[in-house]
Amino acid sequence: LSKLRGRPVTIVFWKANSSPSVQAVRAAQAGDQAQNGVVLAVNDGDPAGVAHGIAAENGFSEALVCDANRAISSAYGVNLWPTIVSLNANGAITSIRFGFGTPDQRGTVSPAQKKQ
């Protein structure tokens, strides 16, 4: 992430067997996140070949990061897919969203709420 400092970043943690996760990556790459910053699609726990295959099938144009050993996902405490983490241009987390759907169907946690 240090290479991306100065630009907002959206990290979408996704799993190949989770349709909402795949939809979240597609929505992020089509939405404001991609236009205003960088979207990283972090595949959580699938073999690299599976992640690349699903990404190709779904036309992911964003940076694909394979996390087969869950090192990145574990560092962020991800246990629900999709989990969408937004960082500002300074690298600070501005929001964490769980699940994919309309705003009233998904959970959003601010960094202050997460510390509680």
Side-chain angles (χ1 to χ4, degrees):
L1 290 176
S2 63
K3 293 179 182 179
L4 300 174
R5 193 162 298 267
R7 298 173 65 186
V9 177
T10 300
I11 306 170
V12 182
F13 292 92
W14 67 283
K15 285 186 129 342
N17 64 354
S18 168
S19 179
S21 331
V22 172
Q23 291 173 347
V25 174
R26 293 172 71 188
Q29 73 181 16
D32 290 338
Q33 297 98 329
Q35 294 172 11
N36 297 322
V38 176
V39 175
L40 298 177
V42 178
N43 177 266
D44 187 357
D46 295 312
V50 171
H52 284 286
I54 296 294
E57 286 174 19
N58 286 280
F60 291 4
S61 60
E62 302 307 323
L64 174 62
V65 179
C66 295
D67 187 20
N69 295 326
R70 301 201 71 243
I72 301 166
S73 302
S74 294
Y76 278 85
V78 173
N79 290 309
L80 178 70
W81 303 272
T83 293
I84 304 163
V85 179
S86 299
L87 296 94
N88 65 19
N90 295 322
I93 295 174
T94 57
S95 73
I96 302 170
R97 293 173 299 199
F98 305 99
F100 182 72
T102 62
D104 60 325
Q105 293 173 322
R106 64 179 179 243
T108 301
V109 177
S110 71
Q113 290 171 313
K114 187 157 178 115
K115 289 180 184 177
Q116 296 175 353

